[in-house]
Amino acid sequence: METHGETELLECRLCTEDLVKLQGLFLEGSLGREEGSLGREEGSLGREEFAERAWAAVGRGTPEEYGRLFDSVDVSREGRLDWTRLTTFLLLKLCEQDEQARAATVPRWRAPRSLPSPHREPVQGVVLLPNPSRYLSLSRDGVLGVWAEDLGLLRSLRLANDTIKPKDLWATAMVALPNVHKVAVAFTSKEICFYDLLSKQEFSCQYKVQGLTHTPITLHYWFNPEDPDQAALSVGDVGGKVCVMCFRTALISLFERPSSGPVEQDATTLIQWAELTEGQHSSCCYIATHSAHGHSWVRRVRFLGPLEAVVSCTWSCPGSLVLAWRETKGSPLKVTHFNTQTGISDLDYHPSLNLIATAGLNNHVYLWNPYVTSKPVGVLRGHMNSVVAVQFVLGKRQLLSFSKDKVLRLWDVSSQLCIQRVSGVFPKSQECQTLLLFREEHSRLLLSFNGQLLLLEARKEPGRRVTSHESPVTCVLYNALFRQVISSDTSSTITCWLMDTGQKVKQFTRCHGDAEISTMALDGTQTRLFTAGTDGIVKVWDFNGHCHHRLNAGRDRAAEISQVLVLKRTVLVLGWERIITVFRPAVFSKFFVQPSEWQGGVQHRDDVLCAAFRPPQTLVTGSYDGEITVWNNSTENALRKLRPDGQRGLRSKSDGAALRANQSARPDRPSAPSAPSDSSLPPAGQGGPEDCHAITKLFFLERHKGVTAAGGADLVSCGTSGLVRFWNTTHCSLVAEFVAHRRSGSIILTVDGGGRYLVTADVHGGVKVWDVQDYCLLPGDGVLRRAPRLLTSLRPHLDSVMHLETCVHGDQLFLLSTSIDCTVALSYLPGHCVGIFGQEEHWRLGRVECPLPNEVQDEEEVEEDGEVTPASPITPQGHRSADSLGPQGSALLGEEVILAEEKDHFLEVGRAEKSCCVAVAARLVEPGHAPKATDRRPHANARLLACSSVGTFSELALTELESVEDLDKPDFVSNPHLYFGRMWDSTTPTPPPPTPPKPPTLKASFDERSLFPKEVLQRVEGPSLAGRSQLARGAKRNAGHGHSRRHKVNFTGAFKIK
């Protein structure tokens, strides 16, 4: 029997090494051509030659398989094959195989969960608000439900409409306008209301369009992602009319404001439909309509952005599907009818495949090409009843469909086959109105059945990596005012996260257009956000997404901005030239702000990359050549210069003489170049001089003034050589240096506000925490080469770390880190990783104290000595990655993932156990509560509890309990043969030994009628009392013979059955 690997195609079994060997065959053919071989094209092989030589070189497969591979590539039957044609075929084949495998992935649904719905009437619409991520559901009576991202009900309210009474309110449709933070709702009063989500009074009506010809029953909104000002709201009504409101200035205003009289801020602007059709709002929007459906109700309408067309459907046939578009500006809509044979309930559009899916009343799902109206390009058969809803899964090229008999099907669009069927888990109701909303990011399917909401959530796919952004993350900040985390990425997106849970709150896209956001900064009030893009522009934002200023840092040129330093009187921008670009907030009266002149001029010989500031006026800047300049920020004059070689930047001969005299007066202290070298440091020229000297980060250390005056370190820097250096800015001396990350190249660092912890990160995703509280407080003999105490070494990321930030949240010190792997990680400082922002399971930050760990031996130093191998990468959840576990890594990793789910609950209960651990320990040592010897397992947070330094019982040490000598074991444990052996081995069961006599119990059952006088019972129960009394007396007589318990059991069983 052939194995799976043997039956798989040869091109799917080739690895990278095999492809290199195949490439060598064609290179040999090319060399043979140069040596004079005739009849052979340059770098090409014939079929027989390719089959024999490839089989001999690779050693995998058979010559016949290589011949079939040759035939698959040479479809034109030229008889020759070169390397370009072979690699093109392999790439296309593998890409197609990858797409097929992704499309065939079937979600594993969890058990459906019914949500606590606030709706009593049928749900007319369910929408998703991206910023912040929330769900909205609207029922027919105008009740609006607001749901969190995890679909927990936040609140419910009734929408206000002054035109009609609340009891007559009837909502028909709802749609979200995400680019303008509004929601549009249609009512049976022939009105469309636009509710503002950012107003002081949430969901206040900002615009109201009145006087429509017919009642609108379906809405759809689309906006251009490249130009959010361009948007379209499509409306379908009960009169068969389709209307499209095309907005020109959506971000500024949807409609024109009335010019007569002042208008209150929260007042509703009334707009008549006749005004829109007559073009009175043409500067903001215009109307396009068609009535191709006759008088049939328009069931669904959708604007196709890439085609600039609108498609709609009805139940009537023929002509149930209509496509309309505008050929020229100002011309009426041109319509075309698809050749449909049945009515259509719902439709959806896939922009990448350019396909329209329709839900037919004849139990079929049809796939249409917008350019082919004569017949569908595909028919999906399988439903046994009318299809009521369809929705594309865009990322996997799949389609969801739901039928009237409550059957959910998942289709593979490419093969047009049903790959999953779900039934029997939905509510058993006869007639219901059903809506679908599938959120692909979290694999959540939300269904509505009249007023009930049901959630189907797919289990997490194995191997799926959690990410915070869709692009590499460049910077992260902590806003203490809003208690939120702010991150940016290379696709010009800014995201705000809740620090307490890791949940996404807001997201602003295309903040700098197509330019990347390289860095960010907050002002002193924490209410303004500065973002720097590679377009050379620095923008000033508020946290509602409004841009207040544009700083022309690059002077109308693209610039690589590496840091923005916001001070009290100046804003400094660095990164792409030798001079500091300065903006003075005193002139921030205009939207476009030009840079001011830096009084200190050019002092660096290379581009300035980073800076640090220490109040009241000390500023330091580091350049690409490793030079550090100390400035007086008030006068903007350069004071001193620091260089890695220990020489001070001199300006005159007198300065040089003074320095030489100072060195000759102190012969006991050698200069920095003559300091003894350490084998642990890399050679000076390793990787080039620029790579060894470029400075990437600078931070001041919070230390006493006497430390600096005595020669101790007050500044720390790092660069592209893996070195961390400690400087004294007063004496212009290098105090210490050590290699933080070996074979890493460029590193970054940060220092906490108290100056106790130094955090470094490398290009491999590794992070190290060092204790520098007592490091370099006093100068030594020469440059100190010894590294500080290493506290923690972890790997929260899989790729290069881009930015580090420390913050204090709830009296707890945390570390924020970003990486090229599109993640933002949160870790305790020092301590373990909490999680990744955006992960499915939200964390809860509590009062968990992270004790100061013991000194950790650097794994890189241990590896140099040859003692142990380096630790494998650790994922943010604390598991080892499969790449580092060797040949059996995937199998071991699978077991760790399963066991990790069993361990996670200890983290949740650890906080509660910490407060009551002493009481539990005291109770365990009481008589009768001693633990068994087999139960002596270490606590999940034993190290955490034993090292706690705060709290009421901080002085108590929780140690392991002493062993118990005498332990009474049950008889069946001491003598198992009396209970189990004979009974299983022999055919005649051996009865167990007699049980000890039970203590005396109550011999008569309690009769509650004895609580009442006999006269009262006769009056209440009548003549049947005598019969019941006889039954009661009989029960009392039988109680002495042991029958009372039997009667009680029979009565209880009958009650349960009933």
Side-chain angles (χ1 to χ4, degrees):
M1 178 181 293
E2 292 182 331
T3 62
H4 174 71
E6 295 173 348
T7 57
E8 193 177 14
L9 293 177
L10 175 65
E11 54 265 28
C12 300
R13 305 200 309 267
L14 296 176
C15 60
T16 306
E17 291 77 7
D18 300 336
L19 296 178
V20 173
K21 295 176 183 178
L22 290 177
Q23 185 183 18
L25 298 179
F26 293 97
L27 294 178
E28 294 175 2
S30 178
L31 294 176
R33 172 67 177 174
E34 294 177 359
E35 293 174 359
S37 299
L38 299 177
R40 173 186 294 177
E41 298 180 5
E42 183 176 356
S44 63
L45 300 173
R47 187 181 189 280
E48 298 297 332
E49 183 182 8
F50 172 77
E52 294 295 335
R53 297 181 61 183
W55 175 66
V58 176
R60 188 193 305 271
T62 61
E64 290 77 12
E65 288 183 308
Y66 287 97
R68 290 194 292 269
L69 175 61
F70 185 95
D71 297 336
S72 300
V73 180
D74 187 22
V75 293
S76 59
R77 296 297 183 265
E78 298 178 2
R80 309 293 299 179
L81 181 64
D82 56 12
W83 175 245
T84 302
R85 294 176 61 189
L86 178 61
T87 54
T88 302
F89 171 80
L90 292 177
L91 286 175
L92 295 176
K93 182 73 174 180
L94 295 177
C95 290
E96 181 182 359
Q97 183 182 6
D98 184 61
E99 288 185 0
Q100 292 177 356
R102 187 170 61 252
T105 303
V106 177
R108 297 179 297 121
W109 302 105
R110 301 178 186 270
R113 178 162 60 98
S114 181
L115 303 180
S117 176
H119 306 293
R120 297 183 179 179
E121 297 290 335
V123 176
Q124 301 289 74
V126 181
V127 298
L128 172 65
L129 300 179
N131 298 318
S133 183
R134 292 179 298 172
Y135 294 89
L136 298 180
S137 59
L138 178 68
S139 58
R140 189 167 59 189
D141 55 356
V143 175
L144 185 72
V146 184
W147 309 80
E149 186 178 11
D150 58 353
L151 288 171
L153 183 62
L154 299 177
R155 63 187 177 279
S156 61
L157 52 95
R158 184 180 293 271
L159 294 180
N161 192 342
D162 301 335
T163 307
I164 52 180
K165 298 179 181 180
K167 65 177 182 179
D168 298 330
L169 190 67
W170 191 316
T172 58
M174 177 180 63
V175 68
L177 286 63
N179 62 324
V180 294
H181 304 285
K182 292 178 176 59
V183 173
V185 180
F187 296 95
T188 54
S189 56
K190 302 178 182 179
E191 297 173 331
I192 300 177
C193 297
F194 295 83
Y195 296 92
D196 191 6
L197 303 179
L198 300 180
S199 60
K200 296 180 180 179
Q201 183 181 359
E202 195 174 12
F203 297 104
S204 62
C205 185
Q206 184 178 9
Y207 301 105
K208 181 185 292 186
V209 179
Q210 296 179 326
L212 276 74
T213 308
H214 302 283
T215 300
I217 58 174
T218 178
L219 301 174
H220 180 263
Y221 182 78
W222 171 89
F223 70 94
N224 189 351
E226 298 181 357
D227 185 8
D229 275 327
Q230 299 180 3
L233 177 65
S234 305
V235 184
D237 57 29
V238 298
K241 193 174 184 179
V242 176
C243 308
V244 183
M245 301 183 190
C246 301
F247 301 102
R248 294 189 172 99
T249 58
L251 297 181
I252 301 175
S253 179
L254 296 179
F255 306 97
E256 294 183 4
R257 291 283 185 175
S259 57
S260 58
V263 180
E264 298 181 3
Q265 184 176 1
D266 295 335
T268 302
T269 303
L270 300 179
I271 300 168
Q272 299 298 324
W273 182 255
E275 299 176 0
L276 297 176
T277 56
E278 293 173 2
Q280 297 184 16
H281 297 261
S282 58
S283 61
C284 295
C285 70
Y286 63 92
I287 302 296
T289 63
H290 76 80
S291 302
H293 292 290
H295 298 286
S296 301
W297 289 22
V298 180
R299 296 295 173 178
R300 194 70 65 204
V301 63
R302 185 178 180 92
F303 188 85
L304 311 183
L307 305 180
E308 295 185 357
V310 59
V311 61
S312 55
C313 64
T314 64
W315 284 355
S316 63
C317 185
S320 57
L321 185 63
V322 173
L323 182 69
W325 70 97
R326 173 173 285 180
E327 292 184 343
T328 59
K329 185 176 181 180
S331 62
L333 292 179
K334 186 176 181 180
V335 299
T336 180
H337 294 265
F338 287 81
N339 185 17
T340 56
Q341 303 298 328
T342 181
I344 298 175
S345 300
D346 193 15
L347 60 87
D348 197 15
Y349 176 68
H350 197 299
S352 300
L353 300 177
N354 195 25
L355 288 178
I356 301 174
T358 59
L361 299 180
N362 63 346
N363 312 342
H364 299 332
V365 177
Y366 294 92
L367 301 176
W368 302 85
N369 188 324
Y371 298 103
V372 181
T373 61
S374 58
K375 62 178 181 179
V377 296
V379 181
L380 309 181
R381 296 179 173 88
H383 282 289
M384 305 303 294
N385 212 323
S386 300
V387 186
V388 296
V390 290
Q391 183 175 353
F392 276 108
V393 182
L394 302 180
K396 297 182 178 180
R397 298 190 175 186
Q398 295 174 348
L399 178 69
L400 286 167
S401 63
F402 192 80
S403 59
K404 196 174 181 180
D405 55 355
K406 299 178 181 59
V407 175
L408 177 69
R409 287 182 178 268
L410 181 65
W411 308 84
D412 179 18
V413 177
S414 59
S415 62
Q416 299 183 12
L417 297 176
C418 178
I419 58 178
Q420 189 180 47
R421 179 182 183 273
V422 181
S423 63
V425 297
F426 304 108
K428 304 294 183 181
S429 57
Q430 297 297 329
E431 294 292 336
C432 63
Q433 180 178 344
T434 304
L435 298 175
L436 285 184
L437 178 63
F438 182 73
R439 188 175 184 186
E440 195 168 348
E441 296 84 0
H442 300 283
S443 298
R444 291 174 178 168
L445 178 62
L446 191 61
L447 303 97
S448 68
F449 300 92
N450 289 337
Q452 183 179 358
L453 293 176
L454 194 72
L455 174 64
L456 272 180
E457 190 171 10
R459 292 184 176 90
K460 187 177 180 180
E461 297 178 5
R464 182 179 177 184
R465 189 168 59 91
V466 178
T467 58
S468 307
H469 288 249
E470 296 181 357
S471 303
V473 189
T474 57
C475 186
V476 63
L477 300 173
Y478 174 71
N479 190 315
L481 180 63
F482 300 112
R483 299 171 63 88
Q484 295 178 0
V485 174
I486 309 153
S487 58
S488 62
D489 61 17
T490 57
S491 62
S492 195
T493 300
I494 298 175
T495 306
C496 299
W497 312 85
L498 286 179
M499 182 73 172
D500 292 317
T501 61
Q503 186 178 359
K504 185 188 297 185
V505 180
K506 294 181 181 179
Q507 189 175 57
F508 307 102
T509 58
R510 298 182 57 82
C511 296
H512 284 258
D514 295 328
E516 301 177 1
I517 297 179
S518 56
T519 186
M520 299 188 298
L522 288 169
D523 69 342
T525 64
Q526 305 273 300
T527 59
R528 292 292 183 268
L529 177 65
F530 291 73
T531 61
T534 55
D535 53 359
I537 299 296
V538 177
K539 295 185 178 182
V540 185
W541 307 81
D542 60 19
F543 284 89
N544 288 327
H546 176 68
C547 182
H548 292 267
H549 304 285
R550 289 169 57 99
L551 313 184
N552 188 14
R555 295 177 175 85
D556 300 327
R557 293 178 299 143
E560 292 287 342
I561 301 176
S562 60
Q563 186 176 355
V564 176
L565 191 60
V566 182
L567 305 179
K568 188 174 182 180
R569 295 183 177 88
T570 55
V571 177
L572 308 181
V573 186
L574 318 166
W576 73 100
E577 57 183 1
R578 296 180 298 163
I579 195 172
I580 300 175
T581 303
V582 58
F583 295 88
R584 310 191 189 279
V587 297
F588 277 21
S589 58
K590 299 180 181 179
F591 181 75
F592 295 97
V593 183
Q594 297 298 328
S596 303
E597 181 182 359
W598 179 254
Q599 301 298 329
V602 179
Q603 296 294 334
H604 286 278
R605 294 174 296 180
D606 212 328
D607 294 344
V608 182
L609 299 180
C610 56
F613 178 77
R614 180 176 61 189
Q617 57 189 12
T618 305
L619 174 71
V620 294
T621 55
S623 61
Y624 194 79
D625 59 356
E627 185 181 67
I628 300 176
T629 303
V630 184
W631 307 77
N632 186 318
N633 188 60
S634 300
T635 61
E636 300 181 0
N637 292 328
L639 304 178
R640 297 173 291 276
K641 290 190 177 182
L642 309 174
R643 292 195 177 95
D645 55 4
Q647 298 295 328
R648 180 180 176 180
L650 306 178
R651 297 194 178 189
S652 62
K653 295 182 180 180
S654 60
D655 292 340
L659 180 61
R660 287 191 296 271
N662 187 20
Q663 292 178 349
S664 61
R666 301 181 58 183
D668 56 333
R669 181 177 179 179
S671 59
S674 61
S677 61
D678 196 322
S679 60
S680 63
L681 295 178
Q686 184 177 358
E690 292 184 353
D691 294 341
C692 290
H693 294 158
I695 297 177
T696 56
K697 289 293 180 181
L698 285 170
F699 279 94
F700 275 106
L701 297 173
E702 292 295 330
R703 291 182 172 177
H704 195 269
K705 294 182 179 179
V707 175
T708 306
D714 63 342
L715 180 70
V716 59
S717 68
C718 69
T720 56
S721 60
L723 281 173
V724 176
R725 292 188 172 100
F726 289 80
W727 307 84
N728 183 284
T729 57
T730 303
H731 299 89
C732 302
S733 61
L734 177 63
V735 181
E737 66 178 4
F738 68 94
V739 179
H741 299 265
R742 301 178 183 274
R743 299 183 302 277
S744 174
S746 178
I747 65 173
I748 59 174
L749 62 80
T750 187
V751 180
D752 72 302
R756 181 175 186 179
Y757 302 117
L758 169 69
V759 186
T760 59
D762 57 22
V763 296
H764 304 299
V767 175
K768 296 182 179 181
V769 182
W770 313 81
D771 184 7
V772 295
Q773 186 176 14
D774 300 327
Y775 187 71
C776 295
L777 294 180
L778 296 174
D781 296 335
V783 180
L784 179 64
R785 308 289 184 178
R786 177 179 57 84
R789 191 162 62 106
L790 179 62
L791 300 178
T792 306
S793 179
L794 64 155
R795 188 181 179 186
H797 301 284
L798 303 178
D799 210 329
S800 177
V801 181
M802 299 293 293
H803 188 79
L804 296 172
E805 183 83 5
T806 62
C807 63
V808 178
H809 179 82
D811 299 333
Q812 183 78 34
L813 192 58
F814 291 95
L815 173 67
L816 298 166
S817 57
T818 66
S819 172
I820 293 181
D821 62 1
C822 308
T823 59
V824 181
L826 176 67
S827 307
Y828 290 106
L829 189 62
H832 59 276
C833 182
V834 178
I836 302 295
F837 285 91
Q839 67 184 26
E840 184 176 357
E841 183 178 357
H842 299 158
W843 59 72
R844 292 183 180 179
L845 299 180
R847 291 292 301 155
V848 176
E849 298 293 334
C850 280
L852 186 64
N854 298 326
E855 183 173 2
V856 179
Q857 188 174 8
D858 195 344
E859 297 171 354
E860 296 175 352
E861 294 182 0
V862 175
E863 184 185 1
E864 291 290 337
D865 299 336
E867 297 178 1
V868 295
T869 57
S872 59
I874 303 298
T875 62
Q877 287 74 16
H879 312 307
R880 295 183 184 272
S881 62
D883 298 338
S884 60
L885 296 178
Q888 301 176 353
S890 59
L892 296 176
L893 183 61
E895 295 179 1
E896 286 190 6
V897 172
I898 296 175
L899 294 176
E901 298 179 356
E902 302 175 358
K903 297 177 181 178
D904 287 341
H905 74 280
F906 286 103
L907 300 178
E908 295 294 335
V909 303
R911 303 178 179 90
E913 289 176 345
K914 180 183 175 183
S915 60
C916 61
C917 58
V918 177
V920 173
R923 185 170 180 261
L924 287 177
V925 298
E926 294 177 1
H929 293 284
K932 299 180 182 179
T934 56
D935 290 336
R936 303 187 61 83
R937 296 187 296 266
H939 193 275
N941 295 327
R943 182 180 61 85
L944 186 74
L945 299 176
C947 302
S948 178
S949 59
V950 297
T952 308
F953 306 100
S954 59
E955 300 300 329
L956 297 180
L958 301 181
T959 59
E960 189 175 1
L961 299 178
E962 297 180 357
S963 59
V964 180
E965 299 296 337
D966 298 331
L967 184 63
D968 295 333
K969 298 182 180 180
D971 187 65
F972 70 88
V973 176
S974 303
N975 303 307
H977 60 281
L978 300 178
Y979 293 84
F980 307 108
R982 297 179 184 176
M983 195 173 295
W984 290 344
D985 298 338
S986 61
T987 56
T988 305
T990 303
T995 58
K998 297 183 179 179
T1001 57
L1002 186 64
K1003 296 184 178 181
S1005 60
F1006 173 72
D1007 188 6
E1008 61 182 8
R1009 295 180 179 82
S1010 61
L1011 299 176
F1012 303 96
K1014 186 176 181 180
E1015 294 78 7
V1016 176
L1017 294 176
Q1018 291 178 352
R1019 189 181 307 110
V1020 175
E1021 299 184 359
S1024 62
L1025 179 61
R1028 297 182 181 178
S1029 300
Q1030 293 178 1
L1031 292 176
R1033 288 194 296 270
K1036 291 180 181 180
R1037 289 195 302 268
N1038 295 333
H1041 300 283
H1043 297 287
S1044 60
R1045 184 177 300 274
R1046 184 182 304 171
H1047 287 297
K1048 185 175 181 180
V1049 172
N1050 292 338
F1051 176 76
T1052 305
F1055 178 77
K1056 290 183 178 180
I1057 295 174
K1058 181 178 180 180

